[in-house]
Amino acid sequence: MKTNGGRRRIRALCWSPRAWRGAGMAQKKYLQAKLTQFLREDRIQLWKPPYTDENKKVGLALKDLAKKYSDKLECCENEVEKMIEEIRCKAIERGTGNENYRTTGIATIEVFLPPRLKKDRKNLLETRLLITGRELRSKIAETFGFQENYIKIVINKKQLQLAAETVVDPEMTPYLDIANQTGRSIRIPASERKALMLAMGYHEKGRAFLKRKEYGIALPCLLDADKYFCECCRELLDTVDNYAVLQLDIVWCYFRLEQLECLDDAEKKLNLAQKCFKNCYGENHQRLVHIKGNCGKEKVLFLRLYLLQGIRNYHSGNDVEACEYLNKARQLLKELYIDPSKVDNLLQLGFTAQEARLGLRACDGNVDHAATHITNRREELAQIREEEKEKKRRRLENIRCLKRMGYSTHAAQRALHAASGNLDEALKILLSNPQMWWLNDSNPETDNRQESPSQENIDQLVYMGFDALVAEAALRVFRGNVQLAAQTLAHNGGSLPPDLPLSPEDSLSPPATSPSDSAGTSSASTDEDMETEAVNEILEDIPEHEEDYLDSTLEDEEMIIAEYLSYVENMKSATKKN
């Protein structure tokens, strides 16, 4: 954890969003940001003389400072003096915390609690820092009356990891797939695939909570998604817009949770989102237009980007930049406005409200063009689904073919994955890597392993030209499977490869099943159940429509744009009046 003036800021994230504050509170935050900016520029240290005396009481020089800044801001001198005193007290508090930590090793942590508990939002907790995340969570639960398992802790915009998470191996999970912007499956390098799939899974989960306005629960999911996206290479992130959209979603959570202390991180994330959109869509969206034929739907993302940039600038005291971004957002809002009667017309044609909104925005509000666009898109997706279904059918048929040759389902899946679905190549891989044949998916109690091969099977291999002793050894290794034994001996010049699991004493027998082996099989089954559970949890939150993230009624955005533009106008009016 990073030191912040002797005090560590954390959040126990399990709250509902607070109600909107009025213009007075927003303007106070704006003035505080401007004063902080002035103090930094003038290198004023409020915790030192002449602004603070030896007893840590306010000095007389603070009044002169308030007069100077009130003239500069054209605001009431008394109000400015109160705000500067608040800033000074916080600085003294941080200094006291630092001093206490140096002498006792005890740090003071600010814990922001859920409003629904009807307690003070910000609470102080004293603790040593040489403790585990789990111990910190227990301490917070005990002190503030939480259920420990329902607490998620965010420190410096990062979720505190308490234990290893259950993850899904995408290589062996064919029912989870990654598609491009047209809906077609895309191949991702194995080193990137798992991280990207986990990132997208957590992002969808977070977005599901965003839709329900459960911002405090959404934020940890989104931060987890950010962590996994960071494990992907830069080239990959520049080809998909998911990473940029995630940055917007995280900053939206900061805003709705009123986490104004995250403004520095918000600025970085918004700049990153803008850069990613440019890399993914092209300088003037030309790449996006080339792929999808239009960029009308994606304007929703830029509206939110400009809105959040406007809010961030307002709370940072940059009123001119705030006004500029908010006006850009308002202009996009006008362009994206949808006539409800046009939506009704499309609903009567059998389309959904979501399809209607997306279609109208893609076609600049033209109902006929939107109907054609939606119909064409439905046909394209139906064709893609048929192609994907056929691809899966061929894959299952290839697995059955390899199973008929004597290989296990697990071994067949691995080989086909490595061979990109090519059956002949998969067979070559299996023949060249006999250790893969031990990827067994059968029950060891019901498999057909033989203690001693039948003479009939040995004779079959001898008839094919193999040595009798080698034939017997091969049949023991492959549990009496003549096909596998013959293929292996033929592929290896009549002998067994040295890397097969043979014991020195009983080299003709495959590894015996021990209680620990059975336990391992049971554990594998449990892992499979956990994997299926994890996948189902992700699947629950994956929306039906592939462009769900572009669909918005923009009602919230419209309200917030008007609200913050009124704050800017009020500031201008107050300045003119003064």
Side-chain angles (χ1 to χ4, degrees):
M1 291 188 285
K2 185 179 177 182
T3 302
N4 183 13
R7 185 166 289 180
R8 306 321 194 257
R9 291 186 171 224
I10 69 173
R11 270 173 174 63
L13 288 175
C14 46
W15 62 85
S16 304
R18 294 183 63 184
W20 286 99
R21 293 182 178 181
M25 179 58 70
Q27 289 174 6
K28 181 181 177 183
K29 294 288 185 184
Y30 168 82
L31 289 174
Q32 284 176 335
K34 294 294 286 187
L35 287 171
T36 302
Q37 180 183 333
F38 293 157
L39 291 167
R40 191 178 296 116
E41 289 171 355
D42 295 341
R43 297 184 179 180
I44 301 293
Q45 296 178 318
L46 292 174
W47 61 93
K48 293 183 179 180
Y51 309 104
T52 299
D53 62 22
E54 63 276 8
N55 297 318
K56 298 183 180 178
K57 300 295 183 182
V58 61
L60 295 176
L62 192 134
K63 283 189 174 293
D64 297 332
L65 196 63
K67 174 71 169 63
K68 174 185 172 182
Y69 290 155
S70 64
D71 291 342
K72 200 170 180 179
L73 288 168
E74 298 183 333
C75 290
C76 172
E77 185 178 332
N78 287 339
E79 288 300 317
V80 171
E81 185 178 347
K82 287 179 184 177
M83 289 184 192
I84 296 176
E85 173 60 6
E86 284 182 22
I87 296 171
R88 189 192 72 86
C89 289
K90 287 180 181 176
I92 296 293
E93 198 176 325
R94 282 196 299 271
T96 303
N98 269 337
E99 186 178 336
N100 183 56
Y101 178 66
R102 281 193 297 269
T103 56
T104 67
I106 301 293
T108 302
I109 295 176
E110 292 180 354
V111 181
F112 290 76
L113 296 177
R116 61 180 174 75
L117 294 181
K118 302 189 183 304
K119 299 179 181 180
D120 293 337
R121 183 180 180 189
K122 186 174 79 171
N123 293 264
L124 302 181
L125 177 69
E126 292 189 342
T127 180
R128 294 188 180 276
L129 296 184
L130 294 177
I131 58 174
T132 65
R134 194 173 294 280
E135 288 170 336
L136 177 59
R137 186 177 71 169
S138 297
K139 193 173 182 69
I140 291 173
E142 181 182 352
T143 304
F144 301 109
F146 284 151
Q147 284 186 284
E148 185 175 337
N149 292 337
Y150 291 92
I151 296 177
K152 289 187 181 291
I153 301 174
V154 174
I155 301 176
N156 292 334
K157 285 79 75 176
K158 301 289 184 184
Q159 184 177 173
L160 186 64
Q161 298 300 322
L162 303 176
E165 298 170 5
T166 302
V167 298
V168 179
D169 183 353
E171 291 185 11
M172 299 310 299
T173 316
Y175 40 87
L176 282 180
D177 212 352
I178 298 174
N180 61 18
Q181 289 172 326
T182 65
R184 295 187 182 278
S185 297
I186 52 177
R187 286 192 65 80
I188 303 290
S191 58
E192 309 284 336
R193 185 175 173 82
K194 180 176 286 189
L196 183 60
M197 188 165 283
L198 287 167
M200 294 171 71
Y202 278 113
H203 190 186
E204 290 299 344
K205 193 151 198 68
R207 285 184 55 77
F209 287 118
L210 278 180
K211 288 179 184 176
R212 299 196 285 269
K213 300 186 185 299
E214 296 179 25
Y215 305 107
I217 305 175
L219 184 56
C221 296
L222 298 176
L223 292 175
D224 273 337
D226 195 39
K227 178 184 73 174
Y228 285 112
F229 268 123
C230 289
E231 295 178 13
C232 300
C233 67
R234 186 76 256 169
E235 290 77 13
L236 180 60
L237 296 182
D238 285 343
T239 62
V240 295
D241 59 5
N242 304 67
Y243 191 46
V245 175
L246 174 64
Q247 306 309 307
L248 296 185
D249 289 339
I250 291 174
V251 178
W252 187 254
C253 274
Y254 287 165
F255 167 56
R256 299 309 297 257
L257 291 170
E258 300 178 6
Q259 294 188 7
L260 297 182
E261 66 278 6
C262 294
L263 285 176
D264 57 336
D265 191 54
E267 181 180 13
K268 292 175 188 174
K269 290 191 179 302
L270 293 175
N271 289 340
L272 181 57
Q274 192 161 18
K275 181 182 176 183
C276 287
F277 281 137
K278 181 180 175 182
N279 291 336
C280 182
Y281 294 160
E283 184 68 43
N284 296 307
H285 303 169
Q286 71 270 22
R287 189 177 301 141
L288 180 65
V289 173
H290 176 72
I291 293 172
K292 302 180 74 172
N294 64 81
C295 61
K297 292 171 283 190
E298 279 71 16
K299 287 182 181 179
V300 168
L301 303 176
F302 288 92
L303 184 151
R304 182 164 284 191
L305 173 64
Y306 297 148
L307 172 56
L308 290 170
Q309 286 173 323
I311 292 170
R312 189 205 67 78
N313 275 285
Y314 178 83
H315 287 296
S316 297
N318 305 321
D319 50 327
V320 176
E321 291 86 348
C323 188
E324 179 184 336
Y325 280 117
L326 289 168
N327 279 318
K328 287 174 75 173
R330 180 167 61 179
Q331 179 57 37
L332 273 181
L333 182 66
K334 291 178 182 176
E335 293 177 20
L336 292 168
Y337 171 76
I338 296 174
D339 185 342
S341 65
K342 294 182 177 181
V343 175
D344 290 339
N345 289 341
L346 291 170
L347 290 177
Q348 290 172 13
L349 294 176
F351 302 122
T352 66
Q354 185 177 61
E355 286 177 319
R357 284 190 295 269
L358 291 169
L360 287 167
R361 285 180 180 144
C363 300
D364 297 322
N366 186 300
V367 175
D368 292 336
H369 291 175
T372 302
H373 173 84
I374 298 168
T375 302
N376 290 343
R377 186 59 184 152
R378 280 185 173 185
E379 291 173 356
E380 286 172 16
L381 289 175
Q383 181 182 347
I384 291 170
R385 289 191 189 102
E386 282 302 314
E387 291 173 2
E388 294 297 322
K389 191 185 294 184
E390 175 60 21
K391 192 188 299 182
K392 288 177 182 176
R393 188 197 65 75
R394 285 198 305 270
R395 183 176 181 277
L396 289 173
E397 181 55 40
N398 288 341
I399 290 172
R400 291 191 195 102
C401 183
L402 290 173
K403 285 182 69 177
R404 286 194 293 270
M405 295 181 189
Y407 300 106
S408 69
T409 302
H410 201 178
Q413 287 175 338
R414 281 288 177 91
L416 284 167
H417 179 80
S420 301
N422 186 296
L423 180 59
D424 293 336
E425 288 299 318
L427 187 55
K428 289 178 184 177
I429 290 170
L430 286 167
L431 290 172
S432 303
N433 299 275
Q435 68 276 7
M436 289 182 70
W437 304 340
W438 295 102
L439 297 170
N440 187 30
D441 48 15
S442 63
N443 187 329
E445 294 180 4
T446 59
D447 64 24
N448 64 344
R449 184 180 65 232
Q450 299 178 2
E451 287 297 326
S452 184
S454 69
Q455 189 60 44
E456 181 184 352
N457 288 348
I458 295 173
D459 290 342
Q460 283 187 51
L461 293 177
V462 171
Y463 182 75
M464 295 178 193
F466 301 117
D467 180 83
L469 288 176
V470 176
E472 184 177 357
L475 287 168
R476 285 183 183 275
V477 168
F478 296 110
R479 306 173 184 180
N481 189 308
V482 177
Q483 260 188 319
L484 284 183
Q487 288 173 5
T488 305
L489 293 174
H491 188 73
N492 291 277
S495 60
L496 286 172
D499 53 351
L500 283 177
L502 304 173
S503 65
E505 184 180 329
D506 186 21
S507 61
L508 301 183
S509 301
T513 302
S514 66
S516 62
D517 292 332
S518 298
T521 303
S522 173
S523 173
S525 175
T526 303
D527 289 344
E528 267 186 33
D529 292 341
M530 290 175 66
E531 181 178 280
T532 303
E533 215 172 282
V535 170
N536 288 336
E537 191 177 345
I538 292 174
L539 290 175
E540 284 175 7
D541 296 311
I542 294 178
E544 287 291 328
H545 201 288
E546 76 283 358
E547 292 183 326
D548 178 80
Y549 72 105
L550 299 175
D551 177 43
S552 173
T553 62
L554 299 179
E555 292 173 356
D556 285 349
E557 287 82 352
E558 182 179 12
M559 180 189 72
I560 297 165
I561 289 170
E563 186 174 4
Y564 271 83
L565 279 172
S566 72
Y567 296 164
V568 174
E569 290 302 318
N570 287 340
M571 291 301 301
K572 289 180 180 177
S573 300
T575 300
K576 289 178 182 178
K577 185 177 179 181
N578 289 330

